[in-house]
Amino acid sequence: MPTRVLPIAATAQPARGYELLCKLAGLLSHEDEQVVIVDASAKESERRGGAEGRHLGLLQVLRDPSVAGLGRPVDSADWLVLPGARGLQALVNTAVAAGPDVALSRLLVPFAPGTLVLLYGASPSLAALLKGTDAQVLVPLLAQPQASIDAYGSVKLLHLAGLRPSLAPLPEVDDEPGSPIDRLQETVLDCAHRHIGLNLPCWPESSWAQRAREAAVPATSRQVMPFMQAPATESGEKTSRRVHAHFSWS
């Protein structure tokens, strides 16, 4: 199984967006998927702590070619979480300079085979990273009055960048048919159809795990760029340090 990434658009309320991330990660983990969350709504720490693997984020991982095999955390956490605001910007720069395939390969190289990376970031950044790839991007929809405007804005931006947005409503616990989230969903679907000619797919919560596996994007090229290559030892062999840790930015 190759390493894959599922892009997820950040919401105007990061805590609620993270709730969707955790629900999706939990569903995938329950079906034996190895999940890593890269939260690009949070910035990486400027420092690296004394304990190996602590206070690292996506940018540090991308810059350190000896880090490999990231996947399951060694502590009590259910899955690995890395902050990634600066790292995502670095990947966008790579995509602009060398194309999205190279940027995706750069993102996925540090992770263990079979890992599914949930990349949570702002829609403009995801559009710039994946432009023209036809990748699916999950757009959360929250049960808030302004949420339909935010979600439609993300859908339009991603669609115009050549991507395939899909809507994922996040209902409240006690929602019933005809609830506010259903009305918001209809509003977004109608706007997408009328204004940009898009029949927007919608993911019911019961289908998240299956659809996430189907939509996740593998790196099309595992080539290692010069700035990603591990330093050679005196014998000429490259070194690799496997790290299995739960990264913290608190």
Side-chain angles (χ1 to χ4, degrees):
M1 177 72 70
T3 310
R4 299 146 293 155
V5 58
L6 176 66
I8 302 174
T11 69
Q13 297 181 342
R16 292 300 313 278
Y18 197 76
E19 178 184 338
L20 179 145
L21 279 176
C22 290
K23 279 191 174 184
L24 178 55
L27 291 169
L28 289 166
S29 297
H30 185 69
E31 298 190 8
D32 295 325
E33 286 281 356
Q34 181 168 275
V35 180
V36 171
I37 293 176
V38 174
D39 181 6
S41 70
K43 289 185 178 181
E44 298 90 325
S45 173
E46 295 287 351
R47 65 188 180 87
R48 179 168 180 166
E52 182 171 18
R54 291 295 177 178
H55 303 291
L56 286 182
L58 179 62
L59 183 61
Q60 290 90 336
V61 168
L62 295 176
R63 286 177 171 175
D64 186 348
S66 68
V67 175
L70 293 176
R72 297 191 185 279
V74 296
D75 57 18
S76 59
D78 293 320
W79 46 79
L80 187 67
V81 180
L82 286 78
R86 295 185 177 94
L88 178 56
Q89 184 56 54
L91 292 171
V92 168
N93 295 341
T94 298
V96 171
D101 289 346
V102 174
L104 286 176
S105 291
R106 185 185 180 195
L107 166 64
L108 296 177
V109 159
F111 299 100
T115 301
L116 201 164
V117 178
L118 303 180
L119 177 60
Y120 181 70
S123 297
S125 296
L126 296 179
L129 173 65
L130 301 164
K131 186 175 181 179
T133 63
D134 196 39
Q136 290 196 55
V137 182
L138 194 59
V139 178
L141 176 63
L142 309 181
Q144 302 291 336
Q146 188 75 12
S148 61
I149 298 175
D150 295 336
Y152 172 68
S154 292
V155 166
K156 181 178 179 180
L157 176 65
L158 295 165
H159 175 67
L160 294 178
L163 306 178
R164 291 184 292 150
S166 296
L167 199 65
L170 186 63
E172 303 290 348
V173 175
D174 56 352
D175 276 348
E176 297 180 355
S179 64
I181 192 67
D182 290 333
R183 294 191 291 272
L184 292 169
Q185 175 182 317
E186 288 302 318
T187 297
V188 177
L189 296 179
D190 181 63
C191 286
H193 180 71
R194 288 193 296 116
H195 297 300
I196 57 177
L198 176 64
N199 292 321
L200 182 64
C202 189
W203 292 14
E205 187 174 352
S206 60
S207 71
W208 282 2
Q210 177 184 348
R211 289 174 182 255
R213 288 196 300 269
E214 294 172 350
V217 181
T220 57
S221 170
R222 299 296 289 182
Q223 64 184 353
V224 179
M225 300 177 66
F227 56 79
M228 295 167 57
Q229 290 178 348
T233 63
E234 292 182 358
S235 63
E237 296 179 352
K238 293 178 180 178
T239 60
S240 178
R241 173 166 55 85
R242 297 180 64 85
V243 178
H244 299 270
H246 178 244
F247 295 95
S248 170
W249 59 93
S250 57

